[in-house]
Amino acid sequence: MIKIDQIIAPMGKDFLVFFVHLARISKLAGMSLYWTFAAPFRGEKLRWNLASVQIVRIGVNSILIVGIISFFVGLIIAMQAAYQLERFGASIYVADLVGVSMTRELAPLITAIIITGRSGSAIAAELGTMKVSEEIDALKTMALNPIGFLVVPRMLAMIIALPCLTILSDLLGIAGGFVLALTNLKIPFIAYYNQTVEAIVLKDFITGLIKSFFFAIIIAQIGAYQGFSVRGGAEGVGKSTTTAVVSSIFLIIIADLFFTILFYSTL
Amino acid sequence: MKEPIIKIRDLHTSFGSLHVLKGINLDIFPFETLAILGRSGCGKSTLLRHLIGLRKPTSGQIFIKGVDFIHAHPRNRHKILKKIGMLFQGSALFNSMTVKENVMLPLLEHTPLESTTINIMAKMKLEQVGLSGFEDYYPAQLSGGMRKRAALARALAMDPDILCCDEPSAGLDPIVSAGIDNLLLKLKKAFNMTIVVVTHELESVFLIADRIALLDRGKIIFTGSKQEMKKSDNPKIIQFLERRADEEVLDGDQYLESLLNG
Ligand SMILES: Nc1ncnc2c1ncn2[C@@H]1O[C@H](COP(=O)(O)OP(=O)(O)OP(=O)(O)O)[C@@H](O)[C@H]1O
Ligand SMILES: [Mg+2]
């Protein structure tokens, strides 16, 4: 017979391990935020040259993929909405649905998930490889702070690139809706345009960007944390990269839920 | 006698239940080359990692130039660290940078010099280790021996007072590793450094070391010159010098028991 503590004890252990991870991530995030936002005021330099390299890798190189996916998502939402709304002769409201759901929800979310897959994983893999090959130790022995040198440029780049990509995603998602409205629903351009402008308020747009700012911190921090905690060679790097992607997406969804309740709950 | 540049006092370290260093006491004097010898896994790299602040010991103290290194304020630690060069067992060059950028990095970060000056300094360091012409290669494009040399150039970038080398010739063919030994000898003369070398290669120890410390089961069991070591009648040292394997003590019952309880 299985004793009850054989089931409970490991669960308790997992539960504790979860909190240990959470505590460590918070510590890393705290230090990174300090080195990004506070330390520059104390005469520490921000490495913009390193950050700009990362902005290109995280941001510029993702423009195409984010654009295409957002366009198609806009198109798909418009098709699904049109299917319902046409029956009531309310096709014009496709504009509202696409506009609001893209800016509030889908653009920040899709962008964050694409960037997690592209760049969150890359951060974990790069830092993990550096950890395994003792490059991070080498930095420390040169009296260079790995957080300032490796994490801050990546987080800075993420904080800049992700909201920009989110704006792009907003625009192209709405463009996807436009295309469907013009071709399939035969709604005139100007009518759809006016409807969209009317439907989206500044708040929708801003809350989307606020979300993407926090998603950026999550992606960079989880990637860095998983990279730093790699143990044992190449296999460890692979494991950490997978964990980074899965736990980032999980945390992004949780954060999204939290912000949606915060911004829009009518309770 | 001179005041030691590094003093290690009663240093203990454990990884979980594994007690690796069990009370290390060691003095390292200025401008000497000290070789730390010991069997694989006896904690040589761990000891070296303490010296460069990568690991905090469970207990004990390390004084570098009279400063309590472990408990020093980060700013003071950094000041000391900038004057310590470290050659890692696996080179640990930054793979995303060229060889020259690797050497330039500490200079760019820690000195107010112009980048053109730093550029020239990096080239000089690379020339000293015999790597001129390879400035713009990436570490992945170099052979193991060349990578060691490049890492050495980087370790020397800040003109350190203390150079720590973890198995400088591990994994290299005898000719290349002799080359590294000669390089260390040459550099020691040129730079006036204290060198701490961790290794288990006797030949290179006898070539480059002024003094030898033998680490066994977490303790320093011998320190002294090559001659003293060769004359010693300590069975552990004799075993090491003669490269004899451990005698296998096989007690049948004990073995069976260990299998059953394993
Ligand atoms: N990070 C670590 N976590 C757990 N145990 C460790 C860790 N680092 C080292 N050890 C253990 O400490 C002991 C000493 O390791 P160390 O790397 O110092 O040996 P070494 O003398 O340098 O060996 P080698 O000559 O093979 O490089 C080993 O038994 C190793 O298993
Ligand atoms: Mg070692």
Side-chain angles (χ1 to χ4, degrees):
Chain A
M1 217 189 90
I2 302 171
K3 284 196 204 114
I4 190 81
D5 64 329
Q6 278 174 326
I7 302 170
I8 301 291
M11 275 168 61
K13 198 178 151 220
D14 284 348
F15 195 64
L16 284 179
V17 166
F18 173 76
F19 278 101
V20 170
H21 280 299
L22 206 63
R24 289 195 194 143
I25 293 174
S26 315
K27 192 175 161 210
L28 178 67
M31 290 203 290
S32 313
L33 291 171
Y34 169 80
W35 284 103
T36 313
F37 295 110
F41 293 103
R42 299 185 165 198
E44 298 286 339
K45 57 180 168 184
L46 272 181
R47 294 177 173 80
W48 282 107
N49 54 337
L50 296 181
S52 65
V53 175
Q54 295 296 330
I55 289 177
V56 172
R57 288 168 63 180
I58 295 171
V60 178
N61 294 348
S62 310
I63 288 178
L64 194 65
I65 184 74
V66 169
I68 292 174
I69 291 183
S70 303
F71 180 81
F72 284 132
V73 168
L75 197 67
I76 291 166
I77 306 238
M79 286 198 305
Q80 299 287 15
Y83 169 69
Q84 300 284 338
L85 293 172
E86 251 182 336
R87 289 188 290 181
F88 307 106
S91 305
I92 187 68
Y93 288 105
V94 168
D96 297 53
L97 224 146
V98 172
V100 171
S101 56
M102 278 315 286
T103 49
R104 280 191 183 187
E105 198 60 54
L106 289 170
L109 201 59
I110 294 165
T111 314
I113 288 175
I114 296 170
I115 297 302
T116 301
R118 257 192 112 253
S119 308
S121 59
I123 292 176
E126 277 169 22
L127 300 195
T129 311
M130 292 184 76
K131 170 92 189 284
V132 170
S133 59
E134 293 184 307
E135 286 177 50
I136 289 179
D137 289 341
L139 272 182
K140 287 189 199 159
T141 55
M142 289 179 190
L144 293 175
N145 174 358
I147 293 182
F149 202 78
L150 299 172
V151 183
V152 169
R154 286 172 169 80
M155 191 168 76
L156 216 51
M158 198 61 95
I159 288 173
I160 292 167
L162 201 63
C164 292
L165 289 169
T166 301
I167 295 173
L168 175 83
S169 170
D170 283 338
L171 294 176
L172 277 155
I174 292 169
F178 249 103
V179 168
L180 186 92
L182 295 182
T183 56
N184 234 352
L185 306 179
K186 306 279 184 287
I187 300 172
F189 182 89
I190 194 72
Y192 194 91
Y193 175 81
N194 285 336
Q195 188 73 19
T196 303
V197 171
E198 201 124 302
I200 304 172
V201 293
L202 193 61
K203 187 186 170 192
D204 299 328
F205 182 71
I206 299 289
T207 53
L209 289 186
I210 292 175
K211 281 182 185 178
S212 80
F213 173 81
F214 284 97
F215 294 167
I217 295 178
I218 291 176
I219 298 170
Q221 288 307 314
I222 299 289
Y225 175 72
Q226 287 299 333
F228 282 148
S229 46
V230 164
R231 258 163 224 281
E235 194 194 327
V237 175
K239 251 191 223 158
S240 280
T241 308
T242 312
T243 314
V245 172
V246 174
S247 49
S248 281
I249 292 180
F250 180 73
L251 279 180
I252 284 169
I253 301 285
I254 299 286
D256 192 24
L257 179 66
F258 171 79
F259 282 120
T260 306
I261 292 172
L262 187 71
F263 294 143
Y264 298 108
S265 170
T266 49
L267 296 175
Chain B
M1 196 147 208
K2 273 185 273 184
E3 181 68 6
I5 188 166
I6 300 176
K7 271 194 285 189
I8 304 173
R9 289 291 174 266
D10 202 27
L11 193 77
H12 286 263
T13 299
S14 356
F15 297 105
S17 59
L18 186 69
H19 201 164
V20 180
L21 301 179
K22 302 171 187 165
I24 303 280
N25 285 296
L26 186 63
D27 287 336
I28 301 169
F29 296 96
F31 312 122
E32 74 171 347
T33 300
L34 178 87
I36 300 176
L37 266 174
R39 298 165 49 169
S40 195
C42 70
K44 302 183 298 292
S45 298
T46 309
L47 179 57
L48 211 53
R49 292 171 73 82
H50 286 305
L51 285 186
I52 49 174
L54 286 178
R55 188 163 255 297
K56 284 225 154 86
T58 319
S59 68
Q61 286 170 303
I62 296 173
F63 296 92
I64 299 180
K65 298 175 193 163
V67 178
D68 183 349
F69 185 59
I70 295 159
H71 304 107
H73 188 272
R75 203 168 298 138
N76 295 340
R77 277 163 52 93
H78 279 180
K79 214 154 107 198
I80 295 175
L81 271 178
K82 284 177 202 169
K83 283 291 180 186
I84 301 182
M86 170 73 188
L87 177 60
F88 283 88
Q89 200 162 349
S91 296
L93 290 166
F94 302 118
N95 281 307
S96 58
M97 301 179 188
T98 64
V99 169
K100 193 174 72 190
E101 286 165 350
N102 264 281
V103 181
M104 284 169 69
L105 179 70
L107 294 165
L108 284 171
E109 291 291 331
H110 293 314
T111 63
L113 301 170
E114 295 271 330
S115 64
T116 42
T117 320
I118 290 178
N119 205 347
I120 294 168
M121 289 173 72
K123 276 191 179 160
M124 278 163 54
K125 300 279 170 192
L126 283 169
E127 200 181 313
Q128 276 168 324
V129 298
L131 275 184
S132 47
F134 293 96
E135 287 91 354
D136 296 325
Y137 280 57
Y138 283 90
Q141 297 169 305
L142 300 179
S143 75
M146 288 157 89
R147 248 177 270 166
K148 276 268 156 69
R149 285 165 183 271
L152 200 50
R154 186 181 67 183
L156 295 172
M158 295 285 291
D159 293 323
D161 305 328
I162 302 168
L163 178 67
C164 299
C165 306
D166 195 352
E167 317 235 356
S169 44
L172 302 177
D173 75 54
I175 296 169
V176 176
S177 70
I180 299 266
D181 288 344
N182 284 332
L183 187 59
L184 280 175
L185 276 175
K186 190 185 102 187
L187 293 172
K188 183 190 161 192
K189 284 204 192 97
F191 282 84
N192 254 334
M193 291 181 295
T194 309
I195 304 183
V196 184
V197 187
V198 158
T199 182
H200 41 227
E201 295 193 26
L202 282 172
E203 282 160 51
S204 82
V205 168
F206 287 138
L207 184 66
I208 59 177
D210 302 320
R211 230 154 48 91
I212 297 165
L214 189 62
L215 190 62
D216 184 70
R217 307 223 177 121
K219 289 208 159 120
I220 302 277
I221 57 167
F222 167 86
T223 48
S225 66
K226 307 164 212 186
Q227 289 78 13
E228 284 169 326
M229 185 171 182
K230 281 179 181 156
K231 271 187 283 181
S232 165
D233 53 5
N234 183 331
K236 285 259 169 59
I237 298 175
I238 295 171
Q239 185 193 5
F240 208 97
L241 289 175
E242 294 179 354
R243 307 169 165 234
R244 244 185 310 118
D246 268 335
E247 281 113 45
E248 302 252 341
V249 200
L250 256 192
D251 177 343
D253 291 341
Q254 221 175 336
Y255 180 62
L256 194 65
E257 206 168 308
S258 77
L259 281 184
L260 288 172
N261 299 335

